[in-house]
């Protein structure tokens, strides 16, 4: 009797629309809160802000500060309306949306007094949601199974790397032994080579010194001969007049050797003795003297700078060799015939290059060269093996996840292209950005560390120390990893300048899906029927 009374009060006070099978409660109240709305008692505001007669619940007047007395009307600005949404997921909406003409709840319960014609679509929507959830479940399961293969493959690779490291260590030991052997041989054959070369070099130096002395003597003889030729009166002194008698010194080719022209070659003096001539006169005169006889060849010893710059020759431009030949005035000079006048005969020079050492020395040098090559090759092999070993050991030190599930990604790269850039992520290596316009790549970061929260460490990766941003920090990239049946990048953004966010899916993070068997189940396992 009491129950029937209470029920009729509830219906009266709260306008509850409930089915017999359901726990009776005022409109807009969630099942979990039904016990707070007891029609046989006064209502205590849920926040404790007051107590009101139960009749005031859902009377379209807001009494409680938290709006809990008006769950089924829009009277309280901060209240919530609960839609049961039978066949789909329940929902709490702000109570301001109650009877506002918009269908918010799929069971249409929020629009009980409006003219919006909302209809209950929960069963259809629920079915679609469950289908979607089942599909996702299936994907997760598939992802989880793929993760198992990734784990297997990762572990296999780890083992292979361990075996390879052992092999390489052995190989390197052998290579080191071979290198040491080659080094010994090298030392052995380099010793006699060194001795032979020292001997050879001493002889060679002597030969060179002799050749130099001969050359010098030859040049001096040539100078003395020229001096005798120019010294008309044979008194051992060259004078301005004597030079003026030689057309050779008519620098400007005006038909006359002026005192000025003659004095230029006497270093602005009136006379020049043989000694001065040998030291500075001849080197200066030689080019003019010999050119005039079409005999000039550039001197091998460095002549004083001014020797090569005779006084200006006004109007001499355009004079050809024929002109110069006409008045050389040195017919009586006994000149060397040809190239013999040059410092080192050409053939001799070539011979020197072709045949560097005597036969005995050459044999020793060849043997030493061969030993050096052998050693270099053996040494290179040791270094190559060391490099390979180091890179494998570095790989072994990397954290590929608690079950090696990420190891298979090392060595692969994944790309994502947006309007402006193509981004590339090579897990455990680097992240780069390449502008579509074709300019070079920009390094966004090198593999740094796992950076997920403590309980989910392997859900994020951090790549750091990328190229420095203009007037800013070094670029860096965060990678957020989600479960998916394919390892791929699903998006890249730049939330802050030069800080990039890569989003990636991979089976490596797919956990075993919870069992959602039962037709009416939802991903949240929270359906009211
Ligand atoms: C480049 C790119 C951009 C970045 C600017 C900063 O254009 O790396 O992503 O924002 O440099 O200057």
């Amino acid at each position: 009797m009491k129950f029937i009374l209470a029920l009729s009060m509830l219906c009266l006070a709260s306008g509850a629309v409930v089915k017999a099978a359901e726990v009776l409660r005022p409109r807009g109240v969630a099942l979990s809160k039904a016990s707070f709305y007891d029609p046989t008692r006064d209502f205590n505001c849920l926040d404790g802000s007051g107590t009101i007669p139960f009749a005031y619940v859902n009377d379209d007047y807001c009494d409680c500060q938290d709006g809990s007395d008006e769950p089924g009307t829009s009277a309280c600005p901060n209240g919530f309306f609960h839609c049961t949404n039978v066949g789909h997921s329940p929902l709490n909406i702000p109570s301001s949306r109650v009877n506002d003409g918009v269908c918010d709840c799929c069971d249409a319960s929020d629009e009980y007094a409006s003219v919006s014609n909302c209809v209950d679509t929960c069963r259809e929507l629920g079915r679609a949601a469950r289908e979607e959830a089942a599909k996702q479940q299936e994907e997760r399961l598939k992802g989880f199974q793929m993760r198992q293969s990734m784990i297997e493959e990762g572990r296999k690779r780890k083992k292979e790397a361990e075996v390879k490291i052992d092999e390489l260590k052995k190989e390197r030991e052998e290579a080191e032994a071979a290198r040491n052997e080659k080094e010994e041989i090298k030392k052995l054959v380099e010793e006699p080579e060194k001795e032979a070369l020292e001997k050879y070099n001493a002889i060679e130096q002597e030969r060179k010194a002799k050749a130099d002395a001969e050359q010098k003597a030859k040049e001096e003889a040539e100078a003395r001969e020229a001096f005798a030729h120019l010294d008309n009166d044979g008194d051992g002194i060259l004078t301005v007049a004597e030079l003026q008698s030689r057309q050779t010194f008519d620098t400007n080719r005006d038909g006359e050797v002026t005192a000025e022209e003659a004095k230029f070659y006497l270093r602005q003096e009136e006379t020049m003795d043989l000694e001065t001539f040998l030291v500075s006169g001849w080197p200066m005169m030689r080019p003019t003297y010999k050119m005039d006889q079409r005999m000039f060849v550039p001197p091998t010893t460095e002549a004083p700078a001014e020797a090569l710059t005779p006084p200006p020759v006004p109007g001499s431009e355009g004079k050809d060799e024929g002109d110069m030949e006409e008045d050389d005035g040195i017919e009586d000079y006994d000149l060397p015939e040809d190239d013999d006048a040059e410092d080192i005969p050409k053939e001799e020079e070539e011979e020197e290059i072709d045949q560097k050492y005597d036969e005995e020395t050459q044999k020793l040098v060849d043997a030493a060269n061969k030993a050096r090559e052998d050693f270099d090759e053996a040494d290179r092999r040791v270094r190559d093996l060391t490099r390979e070993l180091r890179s494998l050991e570095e790989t072994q030190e990397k954290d590929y996840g608690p079950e090696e599930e990420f190891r298979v990604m090392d060595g692969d790269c994944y790309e994502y292209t947006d309007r402006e850039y193509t981004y590339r992520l090579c897990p455990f290596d680097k992240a780069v950005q390449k502008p579509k316009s074709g300019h070079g790549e920009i390094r966004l970061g090198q593999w740094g560390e796992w950076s997920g929260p403590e309980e989910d460490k392997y859900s994020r990766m951090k790549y750091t120390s990328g190229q420095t941003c203009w007037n800013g920090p070094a670029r860096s990239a965060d990678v957020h990893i989600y479960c998916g049946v394919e390892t791929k990048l699903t998006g890249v953004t730049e939330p802050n300048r030069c800080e990039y966010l890569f989003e990636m899916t991979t089976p490596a993070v797919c956990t075993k899906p919870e069992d959602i068997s039962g037709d009416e189940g939802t991903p949240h396992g929270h359906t009211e029927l």
Side-chain angles (χ1 to χ4, degrees):
M1 196 60 207
K2 197 180 168 202
F3 175 75
I4 293 169
L5 180 70
L7 182 61
S8 59
M9 276 175 72
L10 179 68
C11 293
L12 188 76
S14 60
V17 182
V18 285
K19 289 178 186 163
E22 283 185 69
V23 177
L24 293 173
R25 55 195 196 269
R27 193 195 300 276
V29 171
L31 185 61
S32 58
K33 288 187 181 154
S35 60
F36 298 115
Y37 295 83
D38 181 351
T40 62
R41 295 173 191 190
D42 285 346
F43 175 69
N44 294 316
C45 302
L46 296 187
D47 64 351
S49 58
T51 300
I52 53 170
F54 191 78
Y56 289 5
V57 172
N58 279 345
D59 67 348
D60 211 13
Y61 181 83
C62 195
D63 298 290
C64 298
Q65 275 174 24
D66 64 352
S68 55
D69 61 313
E70 294 298 318
T73 76
S74 56
C76 295
N78 54 346
F80 281 97
F81 178 88
H82 179 85
C83 9
T84 311
N85 288 347
V86 174
H88 194 20
S89 305
L91 190 66
N92 289 322
I93 60 169
S95 51
S96 59
R97 296 189 189 167
V98 172
N99 292 325
D100 65 348
V102 179
C103 313
D104 294 292
C105 300
C106 64
D107 62 4
S109 59
D110 58 316
E111 297 299 321
Y112 58 88
S114 81
V115 287
S116 59
N117 296 329
C118 293
V119 288
D120 185 344
T121 55
C122 286
R123 290 200 182 271
E124 283 155 49
L125 290 177
R127 197 176 308 116
R130 280 187 297 279
E131 273 169 19
E132 178 58 30
K135 216 172 101 194
Q136 276 183 18
Q137 176 88 341
E138 212 172 288
E139 290 273 284
R140 289 187 79 82
L141 187 63
K142 200 169 147 202
F144 178 70
Q145 284 159 352
M146 289 170 82
R147 178 176 190 272
Q148 303 313 302
S149 318
M150 290 173 90
I151 292 172
E152 251 171 59
E153 182 61 25
R155 287 183 175 153
K156 192 174 127 214
R157 288 196 195 177
K158 185 177 184 181
K159 274 218 187 83
E160 282 168 359
E162 274 162 14
V163 171
K164 182 84 189 155
I165 284 175
D166 285 347
E167 272 171 23
L168 283 175
K169 279 185 178 163
K170 227 175 272 161
E171 258 180 78
R172 190 176 59 172
E173 254 171 51
E174 284 163 16
E176 272 169 350
R179 182 193 58 188
N180 295 345
E181 208 175 285
K182 303 281 179 204
E183 194 169 20
E184 282 308 309
I185 296 174
K186 181 169 87 87
K187 276 187 202 156
L188 278 177
V189 295
E190 272 180 340
E191 198 52 46
E193 181 204 32
K194 193 175 158 218
E195 273 172 35
L197 282 180
E198 272 166 10
K199 215 163 80 192
Y200 177 86
N201 285 341
I203 295 168
E204 184 58 19
Q205 259 172 22
E206 211 175 288
R207 191 194 68 77
K208 240 201 167 132
K210 209 170 133 208
D212 286 352
E214 273 169 19
Q215 179 64 22
K216 219 174 148 203
K218 197 168 149 193
E219 282 168 11
E220 193 179 312
E222 180 191 49
R224 282 175 186 279
E225 203 174 327
F227 187 87
H229 176 242
L230 295 168
D231 182 14
N232 291 342
D233 58 7
D235 68 349
I237 302 282
L238 288 186
T239 62
V240 171
E242 279 168 341
L243 293 200
Q244 277 185 288
S245 72
R246 303 285 171 172
Q247 265 330 104
T248 310
F249 302 115
D250 177 15
T251 325
N252 63 4
R253 302 287 172 197
D254 64 352
E256 187 193 355
V257 181
T258 63
E260 197 202 356
E261 283 169 330
K263 274 175 86 174
F264 170 77
Y265 293 100
L266 296 179
R267 303 188 67 89
Q268 303 306 329
E269 301 289 343
E270 292 297 326
T271 60
M272 183 177 272
D273 60 17
L274 176 62
E275 208 152 310
T276 317
F277 179 80
L278 292 177
V279 175
S280 55
W282 176 239
M284 189 164 63
M285 247 176 251
R286 189 176 184 265
T288 314
Y289 189 88
K290 298 196 85 170
M291 186 159 63
D292 238 21
Q293 299 159 69
R294 303 209 301 176
M295 284 299 303
F296 176 71
V297 266
T300 48
T301 48
E302 225 176 81
E306 68 268 37
L308 300 170
T309 6
V313 185
S316 71
E317 299 89 343
K319 295 239 176 201
D320 62 31
E321 274 181 24
D323 293 332
M324 292 167 97
E325 204 178 10
E326 248 168 45
D327 336 294
D328 62 5
I330 49 159
E331 313 77 47
D332 52 344
Y333 184 70
D334 186 16
L335 290 161
E337 284 293 320
D338 50 33
D339 284 349
D340 280 347
E342 231 335 285
D343 306 23
I344 303 173
K346 243 188 177 166
E347 308 82 66
E348 200 181 308
E349 206 176 33
E350 269 166 16
E351 200 178 305
E352 231 178 285
I353 292 161
D354 289 343
Q355 206 180 350
K356 202 157 180 215
Y357 304 116
D358 57 73
E359 204 178 319
E360 201 61 24
T361 310
Q362 190 63 51
K363 263 188 197 160
L364 293 170
V365 169
D366 288 346
N369 281 343
K370 169 87 174 61
R372 276 188 285 270
E373 274 167 27
D374 289 352
F375 168 75
D376 287 347
E377 197 187 313
D379 189 48
R380 210 175 307 122
R381 171 129 182 86
V382 172
R383 278 183 287 125
D384 287 349
L385 286 168
T386 303
R387 204 175 310 118
E388 201 182 336
L389 197 54
R390 197 182 312 129
S391 112
L392 258 183
E393 280 171 342
E394 272 170 17
T395 301
Q396 292 301 77
E397 280 158 22
K398 282 184 193 165
D399 180 355
Y400 290 120
E403 297 182 88
E404 297 293 318
E405 63 270 44
F406 294 96
R407 183 181 279 259
V408 289
M409 290 184 197
D410 196 351
D412 286 343
C413 295
Y414 306 91
E415 289 197 344
Y416 180 84
T417 302
D418 67 10
R419 265 187 323 125
E420 254 185 285
Y421 303 103
T422 292
Y423 291 91
R424 194 166 70 250
L425 177 72
C426 306
F428 306 101
D429 183 10
K430 63 184 177 186
V432 297
Q433 178 194 50
K434 191 170 162 39
K436 273 180 170 173
S437 54
H439 297 300
E441 278 185 358
I442 302 170
R443 276 181 297 105
L444 303 184
Q446 298 295 317
W447 162 241
E449 58 186 358
W450 290 105
S451 55
E454 209 178 314
E455 70 286 357
D456 199 10
K457 182 176 159 193
Y458 298 95
S459 61
R460 289 180 185 197
M461 287 173 160
K462 184 112 196 135
Y463 291 78
T464 51
S465 312
Q467 266 169 256
T468 313
C469 202
W470 174 251
N471 269 342
R475 287 176 174 78
S476 64
D478 269 326
V479 183
H480 290 194
I481 308 172
Y482 306 98
C483 164
V485 289
E486 195 188 338
T487 300
K488 64 175 183 192
L489 291 178
T490 54
V492 181
T493 49
E494 192 179 345
N496 296 306
R497 197 165 145 263
C498 295
E499 286 178 17
Y500 302 84
L501 171 62
F502 284 60
E503 290 186 294
M504 159 176 231
T505 59
T506 173
V509 294
C510 292
T511 50
K512 190 168 187 185
E514 287 162 26
D515 193 7
I516 53 161
S517 54
D519 278 347
E520 306 293 349
T522 68
H524 316 289
H526 211 83
T527 301
E528 286 189 45
L529 296 169

